[in-house]
Amino acid sequence: MNDAKFKRLIMAITAGAVMLIVFLLMIMVYQPIAIIVEKSKARELLTVIAEYEALIEDGENTLKAHSDRQWIERRARELGYVYIDDVGLESVK
């Protein structure tokens, strides 16, 4: 192996090692950033899930309240419905 061939071999090995190090450093920088982004997305999704669970619970409470007899009667009276035995204003003269 002559001197020029040996120098080209060393230069090729050095260039390959430098490119490998640069590639590994890029991966080492990218991975923590990707992890932080994914954790942020997960945190955001958990927040949205909590909001929707609160809305569902509120809706269930509203449904229970609107299912009560008192609420149904009040809404029916607002729409003009009355019981048969109700005393209306027409009969009070």
Side-chain angles (χ1 to χ4, degrees), residues 19-54:
M19 289 192 316
L20 179 65
I21 290 172
V22 168
F23 180 72
L24 291 176
L25 284 174
M26 286 174 32
I27 291 174
M28 289 174 59
V29 169
Y30 173 77
Q31 288 300 316
I33 293 171
I35 290 171
I36 290 170
V37 168
E38 288 299 319
K39 283 184 179 180
S40 173
K41 286 181 184 177
R43 206 174 311 119
E44 182 180 328
L45 288 175
L46 289 175
T47 304
V48 171
I49 288 171
E51 288 176 11
Y52 280 118
E53 286 175 347

Side-chain angles (χ1 to χ4, degrees), residues 68-88:
D68 289 341
R69 181 182 172 105
Q70 181 182 12
W71 178 270
I72 294 171
E73 284 181 0
R74 187 177 69 121
R75 184 68 181 131
R77 290 188 189 277
E78 288 173 1
L79 294 173
Y81 292 99
V82 293
Y83 285 113
I84 295 174
D85 56 350
D86 277 352
V87 177

